[in-house]
Amino acid sequence: MVARVVGGRGQVTSNGVVLASFRLEGSSSVTIDRKNASRRTCQVQLTSNELSSGSGNVIPTLATDLFAPFGNELTLFYTSITNGVETDTQVGVFLITDVNVDDSGTDLSMKVTGADRAKAYSRAGFTDVYTIAASTNIGTAIQALLSSRVVAFTQVFNFAATTATTSAAPTVFGPGDDPWAKATELASAASMELFMDTTGRVTLIPVPDPSVAAVAASYVEGVGNTACHISRTLSNALAANYVIRDGQGTGIATPVRGVAQDTNPLSPTYVGGRYGQVTDYKSSNLYATAAAALAAANADLLLLLGSVEVAQWDVIPDPARDVDNVILGQRVRAGIAANSKYVVDAIALSFDPGTLMTMTTRAIAGIQ
């Protein structure tokens, strides 16, 4: 049975300690987007000074007030009912970044904007030269880099193992550099994704291959289908099919190159077909070896392929859905044949039970 979303609740927290709880207005929302530095962002609308629990000012007047954007976080939950059982699904931990109070004289409301903990790392820029020793394991380097930053929460890391290392010379970052951006570059060089999960853990995983992933949800037309509207766009604007990653610079005595290309004759972006060759190029001294450059090229190709066909699915909200999920879909008259698979790149969730959830996806037919 499909869960029915009935609203949501939130907690104001400080380093994981719950200070207060509140109900979410329906116009509140969460966005999940792999292209954003902060994969998870939120907008929370409050129109009442009442808290479900805890005490303190809802409308901030002091830096120490609950919703003041000076270190407190929001932990948000979707509330749904399945077979009469109410369940809360945690959808993120968000640093409060902006607060807007609107007083019309008749009505008073407040909108709170938040971003996941990646924002805290970005704000904690380097104040001096930061050096990573030569030939350091990239997972170790990322954890040490982030651990060196002063943030207002206990850092928890959930890292998959990697054998990739930095180059044979020290890697140096300078004052003002964005620590999260640099950590993300390191992850990409190891063909991995770096992001915050729903509980606020720093997560490092290999870039998933959606062509071999299990199906997370089905939106096949017919009885039980929860997809209410589908928009499908075909475009050659984003779909590179020939990826070059050059390792060159400090610490790399002899430049190395990794090349990944769409060699599937059945793919619409096959390099030997009518689509032609569309090149995506990057160079960095973080691609320390030929194997690392090739792995990075292959991983980046996985994130580019399929974008020749982008489909947006407006569905009955399901807070369990996430970026990298693979969905099964069918809408024959819109050109989506039976057993078509798509990988989710972005999600827009509203806490209004009457508002559909939008998933932006790429066609896996172009990836296989």
Side-chain angles (χ1 to χ4, degrees), residues 34 191 193 205-217 298-307 309 322-328 339-345 360-368:
R34 71 156 70 254
S191 63
E193 292 184 335
I205 61 171
V207 172
D209 183 349
S211 68
V212 296
V215 172
N298 283 328
D300 288 345
L301 183 65
L302 279 177
L303 297 176
L304 291 167
L305 286 179
S307 55
E309 180 186 341
D322 206 345
V323 164
D324 288 329
N325 279 182
V326 170
I327 65 170
L328 184 69
N339 299 316
S340 295
K341 293 181 180 180
Y342 293 79
V343 59
V344 178
D345 285 329
T360 302
T361 67
R362 285 176 292 131
I364 293 179
I367 301 174
Q368 293 175 321

Side-chain angles (χ1 to χ4, degrees), residues 112-125:
V112 181
T113 302
D116 68 28
R117 288 174 168 176
K119 175 63 75 173
Y121 290 114
S122 290
R123 295 175 67 243

Side-chain angles (χ1 to χ4, degrees), residues 90-115:
Q90 186 166 327
V91 292
V93 177
F94 305 89
L95 176 70
I96 298 174
T97 59
D98 298 280
V99 178
N100 176 258
V101 179
D102 191 327
D103 185 352
S104 68
T106 302
D107 297 314
L108 177 66
S109 65
M110 184 173 75
K111 182 173 72 176
V112 181
T113 302

